[in-house]
Amino acid sequence: EGKDEFSDLARAFNGMSGRIKNNIREKEEYLNGLHQLKMRESQAALAAQVAHDIRSPVYALDAALKNMTQLPEQQRVIVRHAVNRIRDVANSLLEKNSQQAASTGSAVGEPLEVRLLSSLIDPVITEKRLQFESKPGVSIDFELTKQSYGLFAGVQPVEFGRMISNLINNAVEALGDKGAVDVRLAREAGSVLILISD
């Protein structure tokens, strides 16, 4: 009788031990899968950021290249080829990221950071002026006033720069070959206003 109780206890212990091992293995597999998914999402987010960030400087390089008539033709061809390759890489990264986001149903964003808004807008304005240099009738103005100085906000810096860039592109396209795009920062009732007008 004692042997039977011991055998039953041993079987119960072995069964419980097996279930615990299975649970541990399943949790390890789940955590490993979750880690791999987060790594893929992180890589996709990085790829998307790099791709978007590359586009404006590439446009600026392209515009600058058109005005470099003193550069020998062979060197211009090499630089033009390099610019096109960089643009292709950026487009490829964006395409892969959008396909992955569509397949997983998720979009990965960068964290919010409290940043001085003028320091994020000013470099975009500089790039846009160079990008649209081929349109001498179009001016892009960004003037810091007492009201706009020292305005901070919690933003996603890359996304914020991309948004400003896209809005300026839209404004320039709406103007055609002549006009002005004005970018202004203002404070109103505890909020920050960004005004882009054409």
Side-chain angles (χ1 to χ4, degrees), residues 1 21 27 41 48 52 71 76 101 107 115 117 151 153 156 165 168 181 188:
E1 191 175 322
K21 285 179 185 175
K27 285 184 180 173
E41 287 179 350
H52 278 293
L71 198 65
R76 271 190 290 166
R115 300 289 292 270
L117 294 178
L151 295 178
Q156 294 175 313
S165 175
I168 293 172
V181 177
E188 186 177 291

Side-chain angles (χ1 to χ4, degrees), residues 11 24 43 163:
R11 275 195 295 275
I24 290 171
Q43 289 169 349
M163 175 193 68

Side-chain angles (χ1 to χ4, degrees), residues 1-17 19:
E1 191 175 322
K3 286 182 181 178
D4 289 341
E5 286 179 9
F6 181 75
S7 296
D8 290 344
L9 188 59
R11 275 195 295 275
F13 179 78
N14 286 339
M16 187 172 62
S17 176
R19 285 192 297 276

Side-chain angles (χ1 to χ4, degrees), residues 40-53 93 97 108:
R40 282 196 300 272
E41 287 179 350
S42 176
Q43 289 169 349
L46 180 61
Q49 284 178 12
V50 168
H52 278 293
D53 292 346
L93 285 171
N97 186 59
V108 182

Side-chain angles (χ1 to χ4, degrees), residues 121 125 140-144 164 168 181-185 194-197:
I121 295 173
I125 300 296
I140 302 171
D141 301 314
F142 176 53
E143 183 182 336
L144 281 174
I164 298 296
I168 293 172
V181 177
D182 290 315
V183 181
R184 297 284 178 263
L185 275 173
I194 301 168
L195 308 168
I196 299 177
S197 56

Side-chain angles (χ1 to χ4, degrees), residues 50-85:
V50 168
H52 278 293
D53 292 346
I54 285 173
R55 285 181 135 183
S56 283
V58 164
Y59 285 127
L61 277 172
D62 214 9
L65 185 61
K66 289 174 185 168
N67 297 325
M68 292 185 171
T69 52
Q70 72 278 12
L71 198 65
E73 180 61 23
Q74 186 178 3
Q75 290 180 343
R76 271 190 290 166
V77 169
I78 291 169
V79 174
R80 191 177 300 119
H81 180 66
V83 167
N84 288 336
R85 284 187 63 201

Side-chain angles (χ1 to χ4, degrees), residues 117-149:
L117 294 178
S118 59
S119 71
L120 295 175
I121 295 173
D122 200 46
V124 175
I125 300 296
T126 302
E127 284 179 7
K128 292 297 157 189
R129 285 176 180 155
L130 189 52
Q131 178 181 339
F132 294 112
E133 205 172 39
S134 60
K135 293 186 171 190
V138 173
S139 65
I140 302 171
D141 301 314
F142 176 53
E143 183 182 336
L144 281 174
T145 63
K146 285 182 181 179
Q147 188 185 17
S148 61
Y149 181 76

